[in-house]
Amino acid sequence: MGLRNERVNELVRREVSDFLHVRYRSESTCLTILSARISPDLRNGIVAYSVLGDEEQVRRAVRFIKSKTAEIRHALGKRVVLKYLPKLRF
């Protein structure tokens, strides 16, 4: 993996984490964004996260992330300038 791809991965991870913890402070207290892997063509990306808590909190976190995926992508587009905005999967 090239240096550019590593920098993009870290930038996306940091911005997604920052957006969640600022905009959704109470819902994201048990979430930790671990990593982001963006494809070299910047079209697709996978964001890994972990959840602190029991099975019920894990289910709530999965539902929360799935419901906010489009909003996260939209906010990422406003915060990060890239040639293409990656489609994110969590």
Side-chain angles (χ1 to χ4, degrees):
M1 183 174 359
L3 182 62
R4 176 178 182 251
N5 206 10
E6 288 179 21
R7 287 192 345 242
V8 168
N9 290 342
E10 179 59 27
L11 178 65
V12 168
R13 184 201 66 79
R14 189 174 57 238
E15 291 299 328
V16 168
S17 178
D18 184 51
F19 173 73
L20 286 175
H21 290 290
V22 169
R23 176 81 164 86
Y24 297 104
R25 182 169 295 184
S26 63
E27 292 92 344
S28 65
T29 56
C30 62
L31 283 174
T32 302
I33 304 299
L34 298 174
S35 67
R37 288 183 293 156
I38 308 301
S39 64
D41 65 354
L42 303 177
R43 301 274 184 174
N44 300 304
I46 298 172
V47 178
Y49 65 95
S50 69
V51 179
L52 183 66
D54 59 356
E55 290 297 319
E56 179 58 32
Q57 283 187 317
V58 171
R59 283 192 291 275
R60 274 191 272 145
V62 169
R63 276 183 293 180
F64 171 74
I65 288 288
K66 283 186 179 182
S67 69
K68 301 299 180 192
T69 300
E71 186 177 350
I72 293 168
R73 185 173 188 254
H74 181 73
L76 186 66
K78 288 184 174 186
R79 293 171 170 232
V80 176
V81 177
L82 293 172
K83 186 173 183 177
Y84 302 106
L85 184 61
K87 183 177 180 183
L88 299 175
R89 288 185 327 182
F90 289 87

